[in-house]
Amino acid sequence: MSVHTETKKVTTHTLQRMKANGEKISMLTAYDFSFAKIIDGAGIDVILVGDSASNVMAGHETTLPITLEQMIYHAQSVIRGTNRCFVVVDLPFGTYQSNSEVALASAIRIMKETGGHSIKLEGGEEVIDSIKKIVGAGIPVMGHLGLTPQSIYKFGTYSVRAKEEAEADKLRRDIKLLEEAGCFAVVLEKIPAILAKEVTQSVQIPTIGIGAGGDCDGQVLVMHDMLGINTEFKPRFLRQYANIHQLATDAVSAYIKDVKEKSFPNEQESY
Ligand code: KIV
């Protein structure tokens, strides 16, 4: 008799059910096989292969330079490290804004070449045709409103969005449009907690907050920030759960010392 143990995989339906049951959704970014394996193994619900890879993996100042090919490489690596969680892959800047045909072609490449489970793109009304087209092809779409880093040169700063009534009103309209267009969830980045609570209650689909208070249906953080790999970025919304920068620095310093002092490798570490 063979014993068959099956891991229950997270799907868009799981996330929908979690919102309905009031169970919070946990989401973190990952960009490579090894960390994806750790994060999935720890029991995360969703991994986002974020275009923040442009910042934390490639060292760019913004998310704009990363290419579709580079996102595909990161997503392929993450998929190989995951078993249970739902994987969302960002469509990078320039791969969906021009028209809905281009957007669909980009989304299809992500799905076909990476094995990812869905895509995410930034914006509201401006990208609604693209969202409809992608959803129409059977690809789950996560929206992203509030601070949308691909528009940093329009905003000028990374400060809190939708503090003014006109921008808050647009966000209220946009989240409804995203829901009607078929998005299965929406990221709300850096907006007032009271607005995030209001719009979260106004839609049936889950909202995932980053700097948007505790009333979103889930939370997302950039892995490098919450693990303290990247220690220069310390916004108010960030909770740092480890100091990997210090741990890694100490480990590397100890290794250098051992090599210099000829105590590594020792006899047991040699053949
Ligand atoms: O790319 C990213 O990491 C993101 C999160 C900040 C939501 O979009």
Side-chain angles (χ1 to χ4, degrees):
M1 192 180 85
S2 73
V3 180
H4 182 66
T5 50
E6 195 185 316
T7 313
K8 206 146 181 27
K9 298 206 188 262
V10 179
T11 67
T12 55
H13 298 288
T14 319
L15 303 177
Q16 181 64 67
R17 209 167 37 242
M18 287 170 81
K19 173 166 178 133
N21 295 341
E23 184 188 341
K24 296 284 186 184
I25 297 164
S26 59
M27 174 160 130
L28 277 177
T29 65
Y31 317 94
D32 72 322
F33 168 79
S34 300
F35 272 110
K37 203 164 175 189
I38 293 172
I39 292 171
D40 183 64
I44 203 85
D45 298 311
V46 183
I47 283 182
L48 169 66
V49 185
D51 60 355
S52 48
S54 180
N55 310 108
V56 297
M57 299 301 286
H60 293 297
E61 220 171 277
T62 72
T63 57
L64 275 68
I66 199 160
T67 65
L68 187 57
E69 282 67 29
Q70 288 164 340
M71 287 302 298
I72 287 171
Y73 167 77
H74 286 298
Q76 287 170 336
S77 311
V78 165
I79 284 291
R80 287 193 285 269
T82 58
N83 184 33
R84 174 190 166 270
C85 70
F86 188 76
V87 179
V88 182
V89 184
D90 262 338
L91 284 188
F93 177 68
T95 66
Y96 61 95
Q97 289 92 345
S98 55
N99 66 60
S100 60
E101 297 292 337
V102 169
L104 178 59
S106 305
I108 286 176
R109 278 202 65 192
I110 295 273
M111 300 301 284
K112 245 184 154 46
E113 296 179 37
T114 73
H117 309 136
S118 77
I119 61 95
K120 175 166 83 59
L121 49 75
E122 298 180 4
E125 191 180 4
E126 318 74 36
V127 290
I128 220 70
D129 288 343
S130 297
I131 292 174
K132 286 182 182 160
K133 193 96 178 161
I134 297 169
V135 171
I139 301 171
V141 175
M142 179 179 274
H144 185 154
L145 298 173
L147 177 64
T148 47
Q150 291 179 13
S151 303
I152 185 57
Y153 290 116
K154 182 177 88 180
F155 297 144
T157 75
Y158 286 101
S159 52
V160 179
R161 303 307 312 174
K163 287 206 310 208
E164 307 298 329
E165 213 32 45
E167 196 175 331
D169 267 345
K170 175 165 163 40
L171 194 141
R172 290 183 183 100
R173 286 195 303 276
D174 279 344
I175 197 164
K176 286 280 187 194
L177 288 173
L178 293 187
E179 181 177 41
E180 283 159 25
C183 283
F184 71 91
V186 181
V187 166
L188 297 175
E189 181 165 354
K190 239 179 163 183
I191 61 169
I194 190 154
L195 176 63
K197 179 178 183 181
E198 179 198 323
V199 297
T200 294
Q201 289 170 350
S202 78
V203 291
Q204 302 299 310
I205 54 174
T207 61
I208 315 285
I210 174 164
D215 290 305
C216 294
D217 298 306
Q219 296 292 326
V220 57
L221 285 175
V222 168
M223 179 198 96
H224 286 63
D225 301 336
M226 63 83 73
L227 288 181
I229 297 172
N230 167 25
T231 50
E232 284 124 56
F233 184 63
K234 284 206 163 93
R236 173 191 167 116
F237 69 75
L238 174 65
R239 188 176 295 177
Q240 196 182 306
Y241 287 84
N243 192 338
I244 302 294
H245 182 273
Q246 196 56 55
L247 269 177
T249 303
D250 291 348
V252 173
S253 302
Y255 166 74
I256 294 169
K257 183 168 173 286
D258 289 353
V259 170
K260 300 284 180 192
E261 290 174 351
K262 303 178 186 162
S263 71
F264 175 80
N266 62 23
E267 240 172 75
Q268 286 78 47
E269 289 157 339
S270 303
Y271 298 96

